[in-house]
Amino acid sequence: MTVVALGELLLRLKSPGCERLLQSHVLEATIGGAEASVVAALASDGIPAAYVSVVPHGPLGEAALTELRHFGVDVSRIARGAGRLGIYYFEAGTGHRPARLLYDREGSAMAIADPASFDWPILLEGAQWLHVTGITPAISESAATITLDAVRHAREAGVRVSVDFNHRSSLWRWGKTPVEVMPEIIAEAHVAIAGREDIQKMLGIQLGGDPKAREPDVESYQALAAEVLRRFPKLEMVVIALRETINASHNYWSSILCTREANHRSRRWEITSMVDRIGVGDAFSAGLLYVFARYGYGQYQRALEFATAASSLKHTIPGEINRVPSGEVEALLAADVPLGPSSSNKSRTD
């Protein structure tokens, strides 16, 4: 299975360790981007993967492409254009001090790209899967149009579509809210992937029970997924990652996958020494797609367990991209590892 992703490559500037931004006047520079992290993880594990984007002419754009090539990602579908490379600044949290992330993406090459310049029949050639997120349509009206065009062409071409909601409130500044934009995109998807609060904020569908409860009510989230499936008849599954935050260093991590026939729950992992939370959701998406590509689309429980374990391990890796190979994920799943205390520890199909 060849996976194609659409998104924006970014320059990530991070303060060292757990320092505040510019505390020591040093920033660590790496290349990032949510969708790029997904295809990089897949390609490094032997799944054919390509990226669609626009990067600026010049050394920064070339550096971004070199980083993707390093992981084995096909960059032939990435165009060069006007504008600049988007930037985000990251300050890691620890203990009771939360992480901080600042975006500087206005006027980036992807934000100002012309939707008419994307030849989707060519860009999707050979693809069996398209992955997009809710981040790209947040950066500009044209980027939202590009995302909608992509999922519509993929659906028409028989290419499966996954959409990771990835709500970023600070990016939606171009005139429309997520609730005005995301339903059209989700309407063309086969797989919807969301964090704990994404569905409520991106689609305006409310959760029953207490959304602020530290330990999520799994039945309420299953009901929420069922409502999304009801509203979007083309969707085949809704996957929700459930984070429980004790503090910036101590979390619990689990997930559910709901189809029209059954609900699946993962085991619940306790994370006590978090290194970098950025990219965890992308590691989760990559884990799902890896299992579907390697073992088949119907391997729902296996995909859910693998994705949850892979993204649990990503918490221990600095940088955006998950550098834990599939063999280490499988080893973790096979090991007798203590899990977080909860009745949801046991994976099951309801």
Side-chain angles (χ1 to χ4, degrees), residues 142-159:
S142 60
T145 300
I146 291 165
T147 308
L148 183 57
D149 288 346
V151 297
R152 284 176 171 168
H153 277 89
R155 170 67 76 164
E156 291 172 3
V159 176

Side-chain angles (χ1 to χ4, degrees), residues 62-85:
E62 291 305 313
L65 299 184
T66 298
E67 181 71 0
L68 287 186
R69 290 190 190 101
H70 169 76
F71 290 95
V73 176
D74 175 5
V75 300
S76 65
R77 309 174 204 218
I78 299 177
R80 279 73 163 175
R84 63 187 187 89
L85 199 66

Side-chain angles (χ1 to χ4, degrees), residues 45-341:
D45 245 330
I47 304 300
Y51 200 55
V52 176
S53 189
V54 181
V55 298
H57 297 286
L60 286 181
E62 291 305 313
L65 299 184
T66 298
E67 181 71 0
L68 287 186
R69 290 190 190 101
H70 169 76
F71 290 95
V73 176
D74 175 5
V75 300
S76 65
R77 309 174 204 218
I78 299 177
R80 279 73 163 175
R84 63 187 187 89
L85 199 66
I87 301 171
Y88 77 89
Y89 300 85
F90 179 56
E91 175 187 295
T94 184
H96 296 289
R97 176 165 62 84
R100 185 164 60 146
L101 190 150
L102 304 172
Y103 287 115
D104 178 15
R105 300 171 69 165
E106 188 174 352
S108 69
M110 188 63 193
I112 64 174
D114 181 1
S117 68
F118 288 74
D119 189 343
W120 287 109
I122 298 297
L123 295 172
L124 292 171
E125 187 173 356
Q128 288 79 48
W129 199 291
L130 172 70
H131 181 73
V132 303
T133 78
I135 297 177
T136 305
I139 63 176
S140 69
E141 184 174 9
S142 60
T145 300
I146 291 165
T147 308
L148 183 57
D149 288 346
V151 297
R152 284 176 171 168
H153 277 89
R155 170 67 76 164
E156 291 172 3
V159 176
R160 276 204 172 94
V161 176
S162 53
V163 180
D164 184 345
F165 285 55
N166 260 333
H167 179 252
R168 300 290 186 271
S169 59
S170 61
L171 290 179
W172 286 92
R173 297 176 176 175
W174 55 266
K176 287 191 176 181
T177 66
V179 176
E180 294 176 287
V181 175
M182 289 304 295
E184 283 191 279
I185 295 170
I186 298 299
E188 303 299 333
H190 299 78
V191 179
I193 304 167
R196 185 168 167 175
E197 298 181 354
D198 286 344
I199 291 173
Q200 300 94 297
K201 293 180 177 179
M202 299 291 261
L203 298 180
I205 302 175
Q206 298 308 307
L207 174 76
D210 181 6
K212 299 296 183 182
R214 174 170 287 177
E215 183 172 345
D217 180 347
V218 172
E219 290 185 357
S220 294
Y221 280 92
Q222 290 172 340
L224 179 65
E227 177 61 18
V228 175
L229 289 167
R230 186 190 69 80
R231 294 196 188 189
F232 298 93
K234 293 181 183 179
L235 264 182
E236 297 173 356
M237 73 179 74
V238 176
V239 190
I240 305 176
L242 301 173
R243 182 183 297 279
E244 305 163 52
T245 301
I246 309 303
N247 58 44
S249 305
H250 185 190
N251 286 189
Y252 291 97
W253 183 249
S254 62
S255 59
I256 62 172
L257 184 157
C258 303
T259 68
R260 298 182 189 277
E261 292 75 36
N263 298 322
H264 302 262
R265 292 166 57 181
S266 78
R267 66 186 78 182
R268 180 174 179 254
W269 299 92
E270 182 174 17
I271 302 163
T272 56
S273 300
M274 193 180 308
V275 172
D276 195 336
R277 178 170 158 173
I278 302 297
V280 167
D282 309 318
F284 184 88
S285 295
L288 283 174
L289 301 190
Y290 173 82
V291 172
F292 291 152
R294 187 72 75 200
Y295 302 108
Y297 185 61
Q299 295 287 322
Y300 301 137
Q301 190 67 44
R302 183 172 190 169
L304 189 67
E305 296 289 5
F306 186 94
T308 310
S311 51
S312 178
L313 287 169
K314 169 59 188 77
H315 288 82
T316 70
I317 306 294
E320 272 203 43
I321 297 168
N322 192 12
R323 297 168 186 263
V324 179
S326 58
E328 292 183 20
V329 179
E330 298 286 7
L332 176 64
L333 288 168
D336 185 15
V337 179
L339 306 177

